[in-house]
């Protein structure tokens, strides 16, 4: 696959070639400039945050779609998302213009620059969106086949519906946190090995899951499904997602209704939402689907992205992290657009800012698996991280960092980091 051409655009801000945030990206986020100040909307550019509330106050974000809309001095992106694609495109065009290397508007106004451009290291990044709904899918065929083999043996087959529809379940929104928030080890019921009765206590098999999520745009009315030809306009932007899992709790509880306490304790998302416009040059074909899906799920042309993903695990006490997984999002059997369409086929109403997550992103190679369940063969093959340090499941003090980017010729469009560190379980009274 050929890389997209070298970028024609340049910002007046110096941006390193390996930065995730060149002018071609411009991801949205929510940040607090200084302690005590209110959150507002920003865009990442190089090592800086561009304060969109300041630009809006100066009339620099004032096209016909944005005029009179107070969407950039908000504590979430929800109001901006609800404006729809025309407003998103207008904002992106105006932000790009003021950041161009050959435009003096912001470049030569020292006072405005000092107000509007803040080092990322000086701000607090917040959860960018308040999702009203969260749905987690099971879209990697490689992941589904490996999990089947680990739990049901080498002859295990995919669920009978797997090749016909994207399987998913409804998750919990209140426990969605932004990168950097601590992850408290969950407590719940599980059945210890060789036991005949369950116990309740801190999970002994805590795991991460490498996923990609999409925030829904304006949404749809209840009872009015979103067809395939209108689905792309219902996708605002993508984030990295770590949908942490307590495998022992999950294994005990998930039959017959699926995940509950094994998944609802925490989901971490990256702070920057990469708009679909930034990912457009990296569109590619998804895997061939056989048998072909039913007509409402059939797609044409490139419907996914050549998105490189990595997982780094820094064990408690280790001097540095170890990269334990490298994979690519383009291998997912079911695409995000198919997931969105299927979600609404029965009439479900999606709302601005709802989050749909892909499920674990895993490839066929042993080092391309997106969770410890697969990487350690259900805890039977410990990972060697450093001399004397191995892991089968996550220990207290461990830090997991997800990262990902699309690579062009001399630039990247990336997601930054999605990071979480494990802390000890909260005290539990019987």
């Amino acid at each position: 696959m050929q890389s997209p051409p070298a970028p024609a655009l340049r910002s007046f801000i110096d941006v390193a070639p390996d930065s995730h945030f060149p002018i071609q990206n411009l991801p949205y986020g929510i940040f607090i400039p200084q302690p005590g100040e209110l959150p507002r909307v920003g865009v990442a550019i190089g090592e800086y945050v561009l304060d969109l509330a300041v630009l809006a106050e100066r009339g620099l974000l004032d096209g016909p779609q944005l005029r009179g809309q107070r969407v950039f001095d908000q504590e979430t992106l929800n109001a901006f998302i609800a404006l729809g694609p025309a407003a998103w495109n207008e904002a992106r065009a105006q932000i790009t213009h003021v950041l161009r290397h050959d435009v003096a508007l912001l470049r030569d106004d020292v006072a405005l620059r000092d107000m509007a451009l803040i080092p990322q290291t000086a701000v607090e990044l917040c959860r960018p969106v308040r999702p009203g709904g969260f749905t987690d899918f099971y879209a990697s065929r490689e992941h589904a086949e490996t999990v089947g083999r680990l739990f049901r043996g080498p002859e295990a087959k995919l669920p009978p519906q797997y090749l016909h529809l994207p399987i998913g379940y409804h998750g919990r929104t209140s426990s969605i946190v932004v990168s950097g928030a601590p992850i408290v080890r969950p407590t719940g019921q599980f059945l210890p090995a060789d036991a005949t009765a369950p116990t309740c206590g801190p999970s002994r098999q805590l795991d991460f899951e490498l996923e990609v999520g999409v925030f829904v745009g304006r949404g749809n009315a209840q009872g009015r499904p979103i067809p395939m030809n209108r689905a792309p306009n219902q996708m605002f932007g993508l984030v990295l997602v770590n949908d942490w899992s307590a495998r022992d709790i999950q294994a005990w509880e998930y039959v017959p209704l699926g995940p509950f306490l094994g998944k609802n304790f925490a989901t971490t998302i990256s702070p920057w939402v990469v708009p679909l416009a930034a990912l457009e040059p990296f569109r590619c074909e998804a895997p061939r689907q056989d048998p072909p899906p039913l007509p409402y799920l059939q797609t044409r042309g490139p419907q996914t992205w050549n998105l490189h993903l990595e997982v780094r695990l820094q064990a408690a006490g280790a001097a540095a992290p170890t990269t334990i997984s490298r994979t690519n999002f383009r291998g997912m059997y079911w695409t995000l657009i198919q997931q969105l369409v299927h979600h609404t086929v029965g009439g479900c109403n999606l709302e601005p800012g709802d989050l749909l997550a892909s499920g674990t992103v895993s490839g066929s190679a042993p080092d391309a698996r997106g969770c410890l369940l697969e990487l350690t063969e259900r805890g039977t093959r410990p990972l060697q991280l450093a001399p004397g340090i191995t892991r089968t499941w996550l220990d207290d003090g461990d830090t997991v960092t997800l990262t990902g980017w699309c690579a062009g010729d001399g630039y990247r469009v990336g997601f930054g980091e999605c990071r979480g560190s494990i802390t000890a379980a909260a005290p539990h009274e019987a």
Side-chain angles (χ1 to χ4, degrees):
M1 179 181 299
Q2 292 184 343
S3 297
L9 288 173
R10 278 195 298 117
S11 170
F12 68 83
I13 297 168
D14 290 333
V15 178
D18 62 349
S19 169
H20 284 204
F21 307 124
I23 194 171
Q24 287 76 21
N25 190 348
L26 304 181
Y28 294 97
I30 298 293
F31 74 104
I32 298 174
Q34 295 182 21
E37 293 191 349
L38 295 175
R40 73 277 306 277
V41 179
V43 156
I45 177 69
E47 297 180 357
Y48 293 87
V49 178
L50 178 65
D51 190 333
L52 298 191
V54 169
L55 295 191
E57 289 171 3
R58 293 296 184 93
L60 300 180
L61 297 175
D62 192 34
Q65 299 296 325
L66 297 172
R67 192 167 297 130
Q69 304 288 345
R70 295 289 301 271
V71 293
F72 297 120
D73 57 357
Q74 303 291 317
E75 61 181 18
T76 72
L77 290 168
N78 291 62
F80 177 53
I81 292 173
L83 295 180
W88 310 340
N89 294 337
E90 184 175 272
R92 181 173 175 81
Q94 293 182 347
I95 295 165
T96 301
H97 179 74
V98 300
L99 287 172
R100 286 177 59 106
H101 75 284
D102 53 356
V103 173
L105 197 62
L106 181 60
R107 183 194 66 194
D108 295 349
D109 190 330
V110 176
L112 180 57
R113 264 203 340 259
D114 288 345
M115 291 178 60
L117 285 168
I118 309 167
Q120 289 193 36
T121 54
V123 307
E124 177 186 348
L125 295 176
C126 307
R127 188 174 70 165
V129 178
R130 184 187 297 114
F134 168 41
T135 304
D136 191 35
F137 285 88
Y138 194 48
S140 166
R141 180 171 181 171
E142 287 82 0
H143 174 65
E145 289 177 335
T146 301
V147 170
R149 172 178 60 80
L150 290 174
F151 280 90
R152 300 189 300 277
E155 303 304 318
K157 297 181 179 180
L158 290 169
Q161 75 276 42
Y162 190 88
L163 299 179
H164 297 277
L165 60 86
I167 297 172
Y169 76 94
H170 294 296
R172 183 78 181 170
T173 61
S174 62
S175 53
I176 296 176
V177 297
V178 74
S179 175
I183 304 302
V184 179
R185 182 177 297 275
T187 292
Q189 281 195 31
F190 54 90
L191 186 68
D194 301 323
T196 58
T199 187
C200 182
S203 170
R204 302 172 187 173
Q205 297 181 356
L206 187 56
D207 200 356
F208 69 87
E209 287 190 354
L210 169 64
E211 305 192 19
V212 174
V214 60
F215 284 114
V216 174
R218 301 178 89 169
N220 59 302
Q222 190 169 5
R224 300 295 298 273
I226 298 173
M228 190 63 69
N229 64 346
R230 288 199 292 112
N233 283 336
Q234 291 287 357
M235 302 168 71
F236 173 70
L238 272 55
V239 288
L240 301 179
V241 177
N242 186 343
D243 197 26
W244 307 89
S245 294
R247 298 300 186 186
D248 43 3
I249 298 173
Q250 183 179 2
W252 174 242
E253 72 182 2
Y254 83 102
V255 177
L257 293 181
F260 188 29
L261 271 66
K263 301 284 284 185
N264 71 359
F265 59 96
T267 300
T268 303
I269 62 174
S270 51
W272 297 110
V273 185
V274 177
L276 261 64
L279 298 169
E280 187 62 30
F282 309 99
R283 280 190 177 273
C284 63
E285 297 283 346
R288 179 173 174 268
Q289 294 179 324
D290 184 19
L294 293 174
Y296 78 96
L297 284 172
Q298 292 179 8
T299 62
R300 294 181 181 177
Q303 295 293 342
T304 190
W305 301 272
N306 183 18
L307 169 56
H308 175 79
L309 298 166
E310 293 187 359
V311 182
R312 299 163 190 160
L313 173 55
Q314 183 161 357
T322 300
T323 299
I324 60 173
S325 179
R326 294 181 176 91
T327 190
N328 197 295
F329 191 63
R330 68 186 178 192
M332 299 294 276
Y333 189 82
W334 292 104
T335 67
L336 289 175
I337 193 170
Q338 288 174 314
Q339 292 165 36
L340 186 147
V341 168
H342 181 67
H343 201 304
T344 69
V345 71
C348 175
N349 52 314
L350 296 177
E351 298 179 336
D354 281 356
L355 177 63
L356 310 184
S358 63
T360 304
V361 183
S362 290
S364 56
D367 63 349
R369 297 170 176 178
C371 60
L372 287 174
L373 176 68
E374 295 180 78
L375 287 165
T376 70
E377 294 283 312
R378 202 181 175 187
T380 63
R381 297 182 181 178
L383 286 179
Q384 185 75 44
L385 301 179
I389 301 178
T390 62
R391 286 291 184 272
T392 51
W393 309 106
L394 296 174
D395 284 0
D396 293 348
D398 289 353
T399 297
V400 178
T401 302
L402 315 182
T403 190
W405 62 87
C406 298
D409 185 3
Y411 73 106
R412 290 178 174 181
V413 170
F415 290 76
E417 293 185 344
C418 179
R419 185 182 70 258
S421 298
I422 309 304
T423 65
H428 175 68
E429 296 183 6

